[in-house]
Amino acid sequence: MKKLIAMLLALVMVVGLVACGNNAEAPEAAPEAAPEAAPEAAPEAAPEAAPEAPASTNPDDIADEMTSADGKYQVAFITDVGQLKDKSFNQGTYDGVKLYAAANGKSYKYYQPANGNEATDDDRIDAMKLACENGAEVVVAAGFMQEGALKAAAEAYPNVNFVFIDGYPIGFDNVAGIAFQEDQSGYLAGYATVMEGYTKLGFMGGGGGTNPACQRFGYGFLQGAEAAAAELGVKVEMNYSWAYGAAFSASPELQAMATGWYTNGTEVIFCCGGSMFQSVSAAASAEDGLVVGVDVDQSFESPAVITSAMKGLADATQWAIAKHYDGAWAEIGGTSTSLGAKDNAVGLPTATWSLTGWSIADYEALFAKIAAGEVEISSELVTAPESTANVTVNYVE
């Protein structure tokens, strides 16, 4: 995985993925449990149907929907809450599905559970069952809310392997939990924002304060801001809220709240929650405010984005799917793989950020220290953080 993650991340740097296009320029490193050689994924037998789209390094060039000759789809994706094209978590993960399938002659399909943001475990189970009945050999499920459905599907379809993105072990060898050290990415974003000279910050998170990934992003952001503030000898104020983000969706209420923050002096808001970005970026554009994007390089979505706290969704998804087709599933099945700076799986998009007060060289130096474990960053799941020595937190319910 060492070379694969680094290779894929470098590739995505060039194309600037929207949903998890890792443009982060970071030292090459590798996860401990990964093989030395990057896998050359190749099926044992030619698939009955191949994607209509040509192989590409740009997921936007690959159709979201395809038609297989036999009506079977080998690689399936089950969406999290929110839209498929959310310019964030769902889209970044599905980009990985499309990229792998197109490069390896696999048919693919996405499934959105019924009832949208109000989907239940039964809705997700139905989507997974449909995927398996439609010929899925690998099912990629995004988001921690998939746990209950995955348990039912993994038991019902023991010959299908399931990739649990933002997940963890759930007691089945055919489920691989793939997690990220979002606290590291959030730390880098918070540190960079304060080093850029901003001292009036905000954090708006999705999941109502119960989503582990968003919690790590937010608390990491606070820790990074504190470290930079201490280094510069400045004081920082930070609004911190989960309000209007439970469903990870855009809403007039969320936009109004962000507008109020900007009007009252907030300079930069770290928006962490899928389609919530649309509301916050709209408020930023109207009020001359700024935004830190999440999961992927969101600079292509709004000129208000100064940088993005990214994680390698597309890269990790391709890597995990390859484990199935390379016959190496036992390396990840039934266990949890957590990817971070040492794996080049988190970072900031230095090729597209608009920062001028903090250099790429300084970023790379800090990144290297984080990758080497020389910077202490807590991954504690914190909903309502307390103020620190240099950052005053205003928790808004």
Side-chain angles (χ1 to χ4, degrees):
M1 177 172 159
K2 176 180 203 174
K3 297 181 180 176
L4 179 60
I5 291 292
M7 175 185 71
L8 290 172
L9 190 58
L11 207 72
V12 177
M13 274 187 241
V14 178
V15 300
L17 291 181
V18 171
C20 200
N22 283 351
N23 277 345
E25 297 177 15
E28 181 176 342
E32 297 175 355
E36 276 298 315
E40 294 291 334
E44 295 180 2
E48 293 183 8
E52 296 172 339
S56 172
T57 58
N58 185 350
D60 292 334
D61 294 337
I62 305 171
D64 291 331
E65 298 187 63
M66 65 161 295
T67 301
S68 69
D70 61 357
K72 301 295 184 181
Y73 299 89
Q74 297 160 293
V75 186
F77 173 57
I78 312 299
T79 66
D80 193 16
V81 293
Q83 306 168 18
L84 173 71
K85 308 294 284 190
D86 61 1
K87 311 297 185 185
S88 187
F89 186 60
N90 277 329
Q91 187 170 342
T93 307
Y94 192 47
D95 282 348
V97 170
K98 293 194 300 181
L99 286 165
Y100 183 89
N104 294 278
K106 300 295 181 182
S107 52
Y108 60 95
K109 185 176 178 66
Y110 73 89
Y111 300 81
Q112 290 186 288
N115 297 312
N117 292 335
E118 302 300 321
T120 64
D121 277 352
D122 286 340
D123 294 325
R124 297 184 183 94
I125 290 171
D126 288 343
M128 292 180 191
K129 285 183 176 179
L130 181 59
C132 293
E133 294 301 320
N134 280 349
E137 298 162 348
V138 183
V139 175
V140 178
F144 79 109
M145 296 175 70
Q146 307 273 11
E147 178 182 348
L150 277 169
K151 287 180 177 179
E155 182 175 10
Y157 299 93
N159 294 324
V160 176
N161 284 332
F162 296 83
V163 178
F164 188 8
I165 297 293
D166 263 9
Y168 32 79
I170 59 173
F172 292 88
D173 289 340
N174 60 333
V175 178
I178 308 297
F180 300 87
Q181 293 171 280
E182 293 93 352
D183 47 287
Q184 295 179 349
S185 192
Y187 183 99
L188 286 164
Y191 190 96
T193 301
V194 174
M195 293 301 289
E196 186 69 5
Y198 300 111
T199 58
K200 308 292 185 181
L201 312 182
F203 170 78
M204 289 182 164
T210 63
N211 179 277
C214 291
Q215 288 174 302
R216 287 191 290 266
F217 268 129
Y219 194 41
F221 186 69
L222 171 59
Q223 293 175 76
E226 163 62 30
E231 183 174 333
L232 295 176
V234 299
K235 297 298 181 181
V236 171
E237 296 179 13
M238 182 182 294
N239 289 334
Y240 204 102
S241 181
W242 305 97
Y244 309 119
F248 297 89
S249 298
S251 69
E253 295 80 7
L254 178 62
Q255 184 169 337
M257 186 177 188
T259 297
W261 285 14
Y262 286 124
T263 300
N264 289 315
T266 297
E267 299 165 306
V268 184
I269 295 176
F270 179 21
C271 175
C272 180
S275 297
M276 291 172 63
F277 174 82
Q278 298 169 12
S279 293
V280 177
S281 62
S285 296
E287 301 298 329
D288 293 325
L290 299 171
V291 181
V292 171
V294 74
D295 287 339
V296 301
D297 182 2
Q298 294 189 308
S299 63
F300 303 98
E301 302 308 311
S302 170
V305 175
I306 57 172
T307 191
S308 299
M310 304 189 307
K311 57 186 182 183
L313 292 168
D315 301 339
T317 298
Q318 293 176 79
W319 171 78
I321 295 171
K323 290 294 184 183
H324 169 85
Y325 287 108
D326 292 344
W329 183 262
E331 296 176 8
I332 62 173
T335 65
S336 179
T337 302
S338 183
L339 306 174
K342 71 181 187 302
D343 314 306
N344 279 321
V346 298
L348 306 183
T350 57
T352 59
W353 73 15
S354 61
L355 306 178
T356 59
W358 195 45
S359 72
I360 293 176
D362 288 339
Y363 164 78
E364 291 177 339
L366 177 59
F367 188 100
K369 290 180 180 179
I370 293 174
E374 298 174 8
V375 176
E376 184 176 346
I377 304 173
S378 172
S379 60
E380 183 181 358
L381 301 181
V382 177
T383 299
E386 298 180 353
S387 297
T388 60
N390 298 284
V391 180
T392 300
V393 178
N394 176 32
Y395 184 66
V396 183
E397 298 188 64

